[in-house]
Amino acid sequence: MPGAQAAGVPRHIAIVMDGNGRWAKARHRPRSFGHNAGRKAVRAVIEACMREGVQALTLFAFSSENWHRPQDEVGALMDLFLRALDREVEELHGHGVRLRFVGELDAFDQPLRRRMQASMTRTEGNDKLLVNIAVNYGGRWDIVRAARRAAEAVANGELRVDQIDESRLDQWTSLAELPPLDLFIRTGGEYRLSNFLLWQAAYAELYFTDTLWPDFDEACLRRAIEDYARRERRYGRTGEQVATNV
Ligand code: FPP
């Protein structure tokens, strides 16, 4: 990970990319048209994060619940992921981006899993920006998995129950070892977390915008970062304590 962080720039941003379907509907086009436009916005935001000096970006591309969408939409999304991986990985690699997929990857078919794995291996030495793509991911799943690992460690005699604390459990979550999540963005005018990064969002600043994801561009990201830079992060302390740093 790059070293010093410019003041006011979040180290780690997560985005719920909502609004592709409505964006397409407004243009009388199928939902897959909106997802494809969303792919272009992903690219613009990755480039903008690199320019801003953000260290990690985590994108919610497919939730555990998205399997319940109509089959043709799920199929179109899988095709889109495949094509995006084929097209974009080399260029991202050239820019020093490290790609990681987080979530229950076993649920995807072999060709997609192989491409995901290959893209992670190809880019694992890069450190300009870490892009985590959350697929078949759910925040509760992440917490349950960490709890299971803790239980296994206790059962194996590697850990005592009283040694399980927040930092220990954190090590077993999907985004362990990353900078803490500073800014959580949701586009598309909904005000909920939708089971994304529940553990990691504990102290994140939340930013909601009505902009539909395909319209979210560098200027929108800049506005979100400026808004973040104005927030006072108190972590339970008073405003006076924060001001005097006691
Ligand atoms: C939510 O909008 C969006 C998704 C479920 C898919 C997100 C996928 C992309 C942005 C495609 C590209 C991603 C990568 C990583 C290549 P919605 O369909 O729920 O929109 P709606 O609320 O307007 O119906």
Side-chain angles (χ1 to χ4, degrees), residues 17-22 31 35 39 61 66 69 80 84 213:
M17 309 180 286
D18 200 9
N20 294 347
R22 279 165 285 161
R31 296 176 61 83
H35 294 316
R39 180 182 61 79
N66 285 152
R69 292 197 171 197
L80 181 69
W213 176 249

Side-chain angles (χ1 to χ4, degrees), residues 17-23 31 34-36 38-40 42 59-63 66 69 73 77 80-81 84 133 188 190 212-213:
M17 309 180 286
D18 200 9
N20 294 347
R22 279 165 285 161
W23 187 90
R31 296 176 61 83
H35 294 316
N36 196 42
R39 180 182 61 79
K40 294 177 191 153
V42 167
L59 301 170
F60 207 8
F62 194 83
S63 74
N66 285 152
R69 292 197 171 197
E73 183 175 350
L77 270 171
L80 181 69
F81 295 149
I133 304 190
E190 308 284 359
L212 303 176
W213 176 249

